[in-house]
Amino acid sequence: MSKLFALGFLGIVAFGAVSLFAAPEIAQAQAGLIPCGTGSPTAPGYVPCQLCHVFVLGNNIVKFLLVPSALNPIPIVLVIATFLFAWGGFVWVTAMGNPSRVQQGQQILLATVIGLLIVYGAWLFISLALDVFGVATFTGTGNWWEIDCSSPIVGGPPPPPPPPIPGCWALGAPCVMAPPGCCAPNVCDVGGTNTCIAPPPAGKQVFVTSTPFQGNLGGPIGADAICQGLADAAGIGGLRAWNAWVSKIGPPPDHAKDRIADHPYFRLDNTPVANGVADLQSGTILAPINQDEFRNTVIGGLGNPNSQVWTGTEDNGNVSGNECSGWMDSGGPPFGSRGTIGNATQIDSNWTDETSSPWCNSQYRLYCFEQ
């Protein structure tokens, strides 16, 4: 009986050795027992050999012996087992009542069954044990019988960064004609500098209009429409709504502080202006609102009409006594009305309440706040 097992073991070893030498031919039919180093090193998809591939080779040989595939639909182990079953049955049937021959045939059949149980039972036992202990879960190795030499070695050097994508640019580079998203994680400043700029901070934006207007704005709603139209024309409107910083007496009174959503506000160059409406009605803001919808800086100063802005609003955010008859009048002296103006170059109370003396036929800018 021991001779029988020895012969079977030697047969399997011999088959494995033959498989090594026959691997190039086998590779043509089934991706190869040898997982690397085949073909020209300059050919596309060439895989250089590593130590890991030694284990892949052993795993491939085991699969070739035990697992059905396109190359061997009936695994070699089952072919050998079939031969042993036939041999044992033949010895048993031809025993002619000879007890020793009957016993020999039975032992061959029993040894074959035990061998199959050991071979496939070991595989099943290992698989169940590793599943129970969750080895694949906490090691990330996946199926224990699959060896992936392409995975990075844990603890080894980090992989090199991916090469830059052609057609994408850094901060300050032109981007209008570039593919969408070329500035990521930055943004393309379309309609402004037309270059890649840093993304806007969390909050809303504010600008002063590039165009001055007389006091007949069509009421506060008309002033809002002016802001929206200028924002759309400059490419910063989109789905965003823009309201003007203007107040009217009413009735009912319409205060600028109530017309503006409570958000942090930034100029279009991302300079902080106010942390919220409370800052806008505190008498002091963080930076002058001196940038128009095209990101041009407004030049001027106190008393300079170029930087003066219609507001009708005191420094506390409430309506002042002069607001061009609800922003429906553009008359001059002696029968016209007057309106309060602020100054876009200032950060103290003058930003919204510089003077209330101008006649409404004068032309001044507007502050526009994103909502």
Side-chain angles (χ1 to χ4, degrees):
M1 191 64 187
S2 60
K3 292 182 179 180
L4 176 62
F5 282 112
L7 288 173
F9 175 76
L10 290 176
I12 293 176
V13 171
F15 178 81
V18 172
S19 299
L20 289 176
F21 292 102
E25 288 72 22
I26 295 172
Q28 299 295 325
Q30 195 198 23
L33 292 179
I34 298 178
C36 63
T38 57
S40 172
T42 59
Y46 175 79
V47 179
C49 289
Q50 311 172 42
L51 178 61
C52 172
H53 290 104
V54 175
F55 299 97
V56 175
L57 174 61
N59 189 38
N60 288 347
I61 293 175
V62 172
K63 289 181 179 179
F64 186 74
L65 293 173
L66 302 181
V67 181
S69 66
L71 181 62
N72 54 331
I74 302 177
I76 302 303
V77 166
L78 294 184
V79 173
I80 296 175
T82 301
F83 171 75
L84 292 176
F85 275 125
W87 182 20
F90 175 78
V91 172
W92 191 353
V93 170
T94 59
M96 298 296 184
N98 187 335
S100 62
R101 293 275 294 175
V102 171
Q103 184 180 12
Q104 183 183 12
Q106 291 174 343
Q107 288 177 340
I108 293 173
L109 295 176
L110 179 61
T112 303
V113 172
I114 292 174
L116 289 175
L117 291 176
I118 291 175
V119 170
Y120 288 102
W123 183 287
L124 180 62
F125 175 79
I126 293 174
S127 181
L128 290 176
L130 294 180
D131 285 344
V132 168
F133 289 107
V135 171
T137 300
F138 66 77
T139 63
T141 55
N143 295 327
W144 64 272
W145 61 86
E146 294 179 351
I147 303 173
D148 184 7
C149 292
S150 64
S151 300
I153 300 174
V154 177
I165 302 174
C168 291
W169 293 272
L171 289 175
C175 58
V176 173
M177 302 302 294
C182 75
C183 292
N186 301 306
V187 294
C188 186
D189 183 20
V190 178
T193 62
N194 294 327
T195 61
C196 294
I197 62 171
K204 302 294 184 177
Q205 295 181 308
V206 58
F207 65 87
V208 63
T209 62
S210 60
T211 306
F213 304 90
Q214 290 186 333
N216 185 3
L217 302 172
I221 294 178
D224 295 342
I226 291 173
C227 285
Q228 188 69 53
L230 292 175
D232 291 343
I236 58 174
L239 299 178
R240 299 186 289 179
W242 297 81
N243 283 3
W245 177 265
V246 292
S247 302
K248 75 170 185 175
I249 296 174
D254 191 4
H255 304 296
K257 67 179 183 181
D258 299 327
R259 308 187 71 253
I260 303 301
D262 190 13
H263 297 290
Y265 282 98
F266 300 81
R267 288 193 318 223
L268 299 185
D269 62 358
N270 296 336
T271 299
V273 170
N275 292 318
V277 172
D279 281 359
L280 297 176
Q281 60 184 109
S282 69
T284 303
I285 56 178
L286 303 177
I289 309 173
N290 61 347
Q291 194 174 58
D292 67 20
E293 69 271 22
F294 298 108
R295 295 172 175 80
N296 298 318
T297 300
V298 173
I299 305 300
L302 288 175
N304 189 329
N306 189 60
S307 59
Q308 290 176 326
V309 184
W310 287 123
T311 66
T313 306
E314 297 177 341
D315 60 359
N316 60 6
N318 293 326
V319 62
S320 69
N322 296 311
E323 32 77 282
C324 292
S325 299
W327 304 111
M328 299 297 291
D329 180 32
S330 58
F335 303 110
S337 55
R338 299 175 185 265
T340 298
I341 58 173
N343 198 295
T345 63
Q346 305 301 303
I347 62 172
D348 57 13
S349 61
N350 287 305
W351 82 269
T352 185
D353 188 5
E354 180 184 359
T355 178
S356 297
S357 61
W359 294 94
C360 293
N361 63 345
S362 304
Q363 291 190 338
Y364 300 114
R365 304 172 189 262
L366 293 173
Y367 290 129
C368 299
F369 285 77
E370 180 190 358
Q371 302 304 295

